Amino acid sequence: MADLILNEALGRSLTLIQNVEDNSPAAAVLRLHLWVISATDATLRDVTDGNVDDFEAITNVAEASNSGYANQSMDETDIVITVDDANDRVDVVFSDQTFTAVVAGDNPTDMTLSYDADGSDTDTTTKVLVVWDFSVTPNGGDIVADFPATAAFRVNQG
Amino acid sequence: MKVRILATPPDPATGEKQPAGIRIEDLPKGSTRQRIPVQALEQHQQTGHVTIEADRFVYHTVDGDVVFHIRQEPGRYCLTCGERLPDFGGNGRALEARRAQQCIDHVAAHGDKAVKSPDWPHGYENRPSTFTCEVEDLRGK
């Protein structure tokens, strides 16, 4: 489950995830980034504009710079949205994503999910939506983001 | 894809609802491929309307069956030749690094023909708990 949702992404996150699931626009993808963060959750929630470059401009926030690291993209084929009328909630599950062969260097603490409307991987236009605690120590092996059975992202009634 | 777990009308006394079947509201539009994470499969199995067979998953929806033919089991695959890359047994960080190096060595053996992508800069993909499937929509047939 997401550890925090940026304030300006509340409620909007599911809409943007659904854009990708709907393949509309066709080029839209979701992206996962790894970060080294010592800023507080309260600071992260309040980021304005909320693009990847705004996020990285926060003091004590830096994207992982390990050799071999690249952010991961997900398209419509990676997303399963379950609208559960029995429990009055919407669960989003993603296929597991892997950062392959990430060499030692930075030790990421967090992972973000972002919406890239044109699939261009441009930091100034890619919107950060949610943050997960994700603490890993790279050693050249693969780093797997295996989302929990309780959903990567859940929207409840109430 | 988008799945709806249908519910019975709320119990007048308790307000509780029970699952009442499953509906697939949306399949991929730009592809016949769908990746099914194990987590989603387990969640949908709880409705009792998904059959898991050796080479496929069948969603018995209220509108008819939707079949997901398994094209790729969870694991590591070379982007160039599609070969499933061998796994060492066991767990552990040192083993994980060794596995990755073996994959890199396999890709390097393809020389200039090695296929890499922005998502998979080392030329192999790794999806340890996701099935890659081809969708066959039998609803209304």
Side-chain angles (χ1 to χ4, degrees):
Chain A
M1 201 81 70
D3 291 302
L4 69 88
I5 302 174
L6 273 61
N7 285 335
E8 66 175 24
L10 286 167
R12 188 178 181 210
S13 300
L14 183 61
T15 302
L16 294 177
I17 292 169
Q18 195 145 327
N19 281 358
V20 178
E21 192 273 330
D22 281 344
N23 202 33
S24 177
V29 295
L30 300 172
R31 290 193 181 279
L32 295 173
H33 292 80
L34 295 180
W35 300 88
V36 179
I37 296 177
S38 57
T40 64
D41 285 358
T43 301
L44 301 181
R45 284 192 191 96
D46 293 346
V47 64
T48 53
D49 290 339
N51 291 319
V52 169
D53 65 325
D54 300 308
F55 202 72
E56 188 149 30
I58 301 170
T59 303
N60 296 322
V61 173
E63 187 176 0
S65 60
N66 305 60
S67 176
Y69 160 79
N71 74 64
Q72 292 289 298
S73 68
M74 299 187 284
D75 64 17
E76 59 169 338
T77 66
D78 292 302
I79 303 169
V80 178
I81 297 175
T82 301
V83 181
D84 186 345
D85 290 337
N87 293 295
D88 295 328
R89 66 190 180 210
V90 178
D91 285 343
V92 180
V93 178
F94 304 119
S95 63
D96 50 356
Q97 301 293 312
T98 301
F99 304 90
T100 54
V102 180
V103 174
D106 289 338
N107 293 330
T109 58
D110 296 78
M111 182 172 68
T112 56
L113 175 75
S114 307
Y115 174 70
D116 181 354
D118 61 7
S120 65
D121 195 13
T122 304
D123 286 356
T124 52
T125 55
T126 300
K127 292 273 180 205
V128 179
L129 304 176
V130 305
V131 182
W132 293 276
D133 292 339
F134 193 81
S135 182
V136 289
T137 305
N139 71 341
D142 292 351
I143 298 171
V144 179
D146 194 2
F147 296 96
T150 50
F153 187 88
R154 173 174 284 175
V155 181
N156 281 312
Q157 287 285 340
Chain B
M1 70 176 179
K2 186 175 179 183
V3 175
R4 182 176 288 268
I5 297 173
L6 304 169
T8 59
D11 181 285
T14 65
E16 287 186 6
K17 297 185 283 184
Q18 299 297 324
I22 199 166
R23 168 171 280 148
I24 293 182
E25 295 191 332
D26 197 12
L27 286 167
K29 296 175 179 64
S31 171
T32 57
R33 188 183 60 185
Q34 173 71 52
R35 295 198 183 91
I36 309 265
V38 172
Q39 300 93 318
L41 199 58
E42 288 174 349
Q43 183 185 19
H44 298 157
Q45 251 192 307
Q46 290 170 7
T47 67
H49 293 86
V50 179
T51 305
I52 298 179
E53 300 171 10
D55 58 352
R56 63 184 197 163
F57 311 124
V58 183
Y59 279 65
H60 305 289
T61 80
V62 293
D63 306 305
D65 286 355
V66 179
V67 183
F68 295 85
H69 298 277
I70 299 170
R71 295 294 183 241
Q72 195 166 289
E73 299 270 349
R76 292 175 168 82
Y77 292 86
C78 174
L79 296 187
T80 308
C81 64
E83 185 178 323
R84 183 170 185 175
L85 300 173
D87 249 339
F88 295 98
N91 295 311
R93 283 170 36 78
L95 267 178
E96 187 53 44
R98 193 174 161 213
R99 289 187 185 106
Q101 188 57 52
Q102 189 186 43
C103 295
I104 289 169
D105 292 345
H106 172 96
V107 172
H110 289 297
D112 294 342
K113 293 179 181 171
V115 174
K116 297 181 180 178
S117 76
D119 282 341
W120 307 110
H122 302 285
Y124 69 95
E125 60 179 325
N126 181 5
R127 299 183 193 279
S129 59
T130 295
F131 293 89
T132 300
C133 302
E134 204 74 32
V135 184
E136 183 183 7
D137 189 353
L138 299 177
R139 290 173 296 180
K141 293 179 182 173

